[in-house]
Amino acid sequence: MKWRCEWCGKPHEENDPPCDNCGHGSFEEAVTQVNEEVVEGGPRWVCLDCGRQHQKNSPPCKRCGGSNFERRTGPPEDDPLDEIQTGWLDVLETKYVLGYAAVALLLGLIVLAAVGGITLPGFAAETPTGPPSIASPAGSGDTVNSLSLAEVEDTYVDVYNVRRSGVGGGTVSRNATIDDAAAYYNKGRVDVRYDNAERPTREGVSRFDLPCDRPVVVSYEVAYDRTPQSLAQFQNETALATALVDSYLERGNRIQTSDAGLIGLDIHVGPDERVFVTYVLC
């Protein structure tokens, strides 16, 4: 006994739906001999979203992915999209494609701003807080030719105050926090000279907890790398400190004002006997 699909009429050897032609789930007994081929004009399933015709009710649509199928009978209808081999990408509306592209671009910009690649309004790079680190450059910040640079710094301030009093500038006293700011700037300059490090900045000085809003930064260097001007000529800390103070003033530089009467100082000697001096006034 033969069986055939109730919808499309395709014959089957057994009552074992669904139909492998149209997908219908019910067979009927074929009382009379049936044609082994699918009856022309049998049921077909049409996607209501793009019009593509399917032999089975088996969404989604192979063209647009739609799931709205409608059963139709009669001769198959011509589908111009089949002739030009149009796919689902071709039936997407332009406005949606542009919208997806805009969203992808925006997400890319947000990712770049988050990692610091670019700056967007509302995504400005975070301003560093707290004092920057103090470099440990080549040379020495402790001693030179058995002279204590800490004592040279103390004597430097004493000599500097004498010079200030001589022009009516008033005296200044050392401050530990301003000392750190001066060390950051001075040792950073030494690091730039000998190791091509990143240059220190006035903004970095201001990140220290200074007792003034607008510190004055004075930085210079004196070369004692040639005989008879080598550092060996200085027999004590006072002689070196006095030479360093006078070296700055002899260049025509003036005594800077100091609102709070405070100073921070750092002296560092490079490996070639070049002496770096930085002081910060508040």
Side-chain angles (χ1 to χ4, degrees):
M1 175 65 68
K2 293 279 187 178
W3 296 86
R4 65 183 175 189
C5 176
E6 290 182 347
W7 281 7
C8 69
K10 180 179 178 179
H12 296 268
E13 290 294 333
E14 300 178 356
N15 185 14
D16 185 23
C19 176
D20 58 10
N21 180 57
C22 68
H24 186 58
S26 178
F27 290 175
E28 63 182 0
E29 293 186 48
V31 179
T32 59
Q33 185 67 29
V34 297
N35 191 349
E36 293 291 338
E37 297 180 357
V38 176
V39 177
E40 181 69 21
R44 64 189 184 283
W45 299 89
V46 179
C47 175
L48 298 181
D49 295 324
C50 70
R52 191 183 192 282
Q53 302 178 69
H54 301 263
Q55 290 185 337
K56 301 179 181 180
N57 183 17
S58 55
C61 175
K62 295 179 177 60
R63 175 188 292 155
C64 69
S67 58
N68 298 318
F69 282 14
E70 181 181 79
R71 180 176 181 273
R72 295 180 185 175
T73 58
E77 301 172 1
D78 293 335
D79 188 346
L81 290 181
D82 282 340
E83 296 178 5
I84 61 176
Q85 298 181 346
T86 303
W88 67 271
L89 286 175
D90 301 301
V91 298
L92 284 179
E93 294 189 37
T94 302
K95 62 181 180 180
Y96 294 129
V97 175
L98 295 177
Y100 297 146
V103 170
L105 177 60
L106 179 59
L107 291 175
L109 292 176
I110 291 175
V111 170
L112 286 176
V115 300
I118 60 174
T119 300
L120 294 176
F123 288 89
E126 184 178 352
T127 302
T129 58
S133 60
I134 299 174
S136 299
S140 175
D142 299 322
T143 62
V144 57
N145 294 340
S146 75
L147 300 181
S148 168
L149 291 180
E151 291 186 27
V152 172
E153 290 175 356
D154 289 338
T155 306
Y156 184 104
V157 175
D158 293 337
V159 176
Y160 181 67
N161 276 328
V162 172
R163 303 293 186 266
R164 289 181 65 87
S165 299
V167 295
T171 61
V172 293
S173 56
R174 292 189 74 174
N175 176 277
T177 301
I178 310 178
D179 276 344
D180 289 340
Y184 153 76
Y185 198 86
N186 196 48
K187 297 185 187 305
R189 290 175 56 244
V190 179
D191 220 8
V192 171
R193 165 77 68 168
Y194 299 106
D195 295 315
N196 296 319
E198 185 176 352
R199 184 175 298 276
T201 64
R202 300 297 179 98
E203 184 274 333
V205 171
S206 298
R207 284 166 54 189
F208 288 84
D209 189 18
L210 302 179
C212 59
D213 295 329
R214 302 181 64 180
V216 176
V217 179
V218 176
S219 188
Y220 65 99
E221 57 190 76
V222 182
Y224 293 108
D225 54 355
R226 296 182 301 275
T227 304
Q229 294 180 319
S230 68
L231 286 172
Q233 66 182 296
F234 300 108
Q235 300 301 312
N236 53 54
E237 287 81 2
T238 300
L240 177 56
T242 301
L244 292 175
V245 173
D246 290 343
S247 174
Y248 178 74
L249 297 177
E250 287 169 359
R251 302 178 191 184
N253 297 307
R254 62 185 179 86
I255 296 292
Q256 302 287 336
T257 59
S258 174
D259 296 334
L262 299 173
I263 188 173
L265 175 67
D266 183 78
I267 297 176
H268 192 98
V269 180
D272 55 359
E273 292 197 329
R274 185 179 296 268
V275 182
F276 295 79
V277 181
T278 294
Y279 61 85
V280 178
L281 291 170
C282 277

